[in-house]
Each structure stands twice: as structure tokens, then as C-alpha cells.
Amino acid sequence: MREVRVVGADGSQLGILPIATALETARQQELDLVEVAPDAAPPVCRIMDFGKYKYTQARRLKEARKKQTTIQVKEVKMGPKTEKHDFLEEGHKAKVTVRFKGREMAHTELGWKMLNKMLEATQDIANPENNPRLEGRMLHIILSPKAHN
């Protein structure tokens, strides 16, 4: 007959018991016998109210999800002739995009200069996640806010 180490509902050690005896002890207390460490020698079982345990676990997960912050990426679109913009105020990432229209593609160096100025102006509040990239008519970079101390 297989034996298990049994932990009581109050956390007390009940010792190593045959499974049938452990099940009978749990039934007398109107609780469940739950295997908590199957790889131990002998396996460890706990006497508990399994429904209540599942409920408290679900509540803990829900609370943890509430406390999580979701990062949003805000996008600032600019042309080579655009003036200054403010962003990164709420701790979100910002995607800075310079869009070239028509013949502006002949002067992409202006867009590169603009992004470099943006990086210099925001270096105390933001870190670039990647190097600026030119994809088609769009030149872009993603900035993430620096952690506040």
C-alpha cells in the first residue's frame, strides 16, 4: 500500500500515513486531500478545502493583473518641416516618425538631422530602443521613458 506524508489543514504534520487513512482523515474533517509535492519521497499531501484554495488563487491572480502596468506606444508623426513636440509625459513609449512626401525623399538628411536633434533633446528623459530606420518614405525610431528614481 502506498504511503504519503500528510500535512493537516492548520499546517501541522500528521506524519506518514497510508493513502486510505489520509483520505479518511480528510473526509472526517469534511475537507479534501490534495497532493502538493508529487516528486517528494514519500509524496506530500495536504488536507484543505480545495474549492476555497482555487478561489483564493484566482483572486490573487486577478489582483496581480490589476497591479500590472500596460505599456502603450504613442506615435508622433513629423515632416522635415515640423516644429518642436512634447511627449513621453505619462511614461509610455513613443514612436517618432518622419514622413517624407513627394520630392522630400531627395532630402532625407533633413529627417536624419531632425531625429538626431530629437534624441539629443530627449536624452535626459528617454532612451532609444533602436537606431533610426528608413523604411520606404518613413524614417522612425522608438523611444522609451527612463525609469524615475
Side-chain angles (χ1 to χ4, degrees):
M1 187 170 237
R2 193 167 155 212
E3 294 183 329
V4 293
R5 181 176 308 272
V6 180
V7 178
D10 57 354
S12 62
Q13 298 288 329
L14 301 179
I16 299 173
L17 304 172
I19 292 177
T21 308
L23 274 170
E24 186 56 38
T25 306
R27 283 190 190 117
Q28 286 173 358
Q29 298 176 18
E30 296 181 355
L31 295 172
D32 305 306
L33 183 67
V34 180
E35 189 175 39
V36 292
D39 297 333
V44 179
C45 293
R46 184 179 184 113
I47 296 174
M48 66 171 74
D49 183 351
F50 190 65
K52 182 179 178 182
Y53 172 75
K54 283 179 64 174
Y55 174 77
T56 55
Q57 287 296 97
R59 296 295 298 172
R60 270 195 213 125
L61 282 172
K62 188 175 179 181
E63 285 298 316
R65 268 188 256 119
K66 266 187 193 174
K67 292 177 184 173
Q68 264 182 340
T69 58
T70 55
I71 300 290
Q72 292 181 342
V73 177
K74 306 286 184 171
E75 185 170 7
V76 177
K77 288 189 179 183
M78 300 182 289
K81 300 177 258 179
T82 306
E83 294 296 316
K84 254 183 172 178
H85 281 275
D86 292 325
F87 58 97
L88 295 169
E89 294 169 351
E90 297 175 16
H92 299 293
K93 292 182 181 182
K95 181 177 180 180
V96 182
T97 304
V98 179
R99 193 171 115 229
F100 298 100
K101 300 176 189 172
R103 293 185 183 174
E104 290 175 350
M105 281 300 290
H107 302 286
T108 56
E109 72 277 356
L110 296 174
W112 288 97
K113 282 182 187 176
M114 178 179 276
L115 276 189
N116 286 331
K117 277 186 198 173
M118 177 72 77
L119 288 174
E120 287 175 24
T122 60
Q123 69 184 2
D124 56 333
I125 60 169
N127 293 322
E129 280 198 2
N130 54 5
N131 292 325
R133 284 194 307 242
L134 180 64
E135 293 177 359
R137 293 184 165 273
M138 308 285 245
L139 176 64
H140 61 86
I141 188 166
I142 296 179
L143 300 175
S144 58
K146 286 188 177 178
H148 298 293
N149 292 335

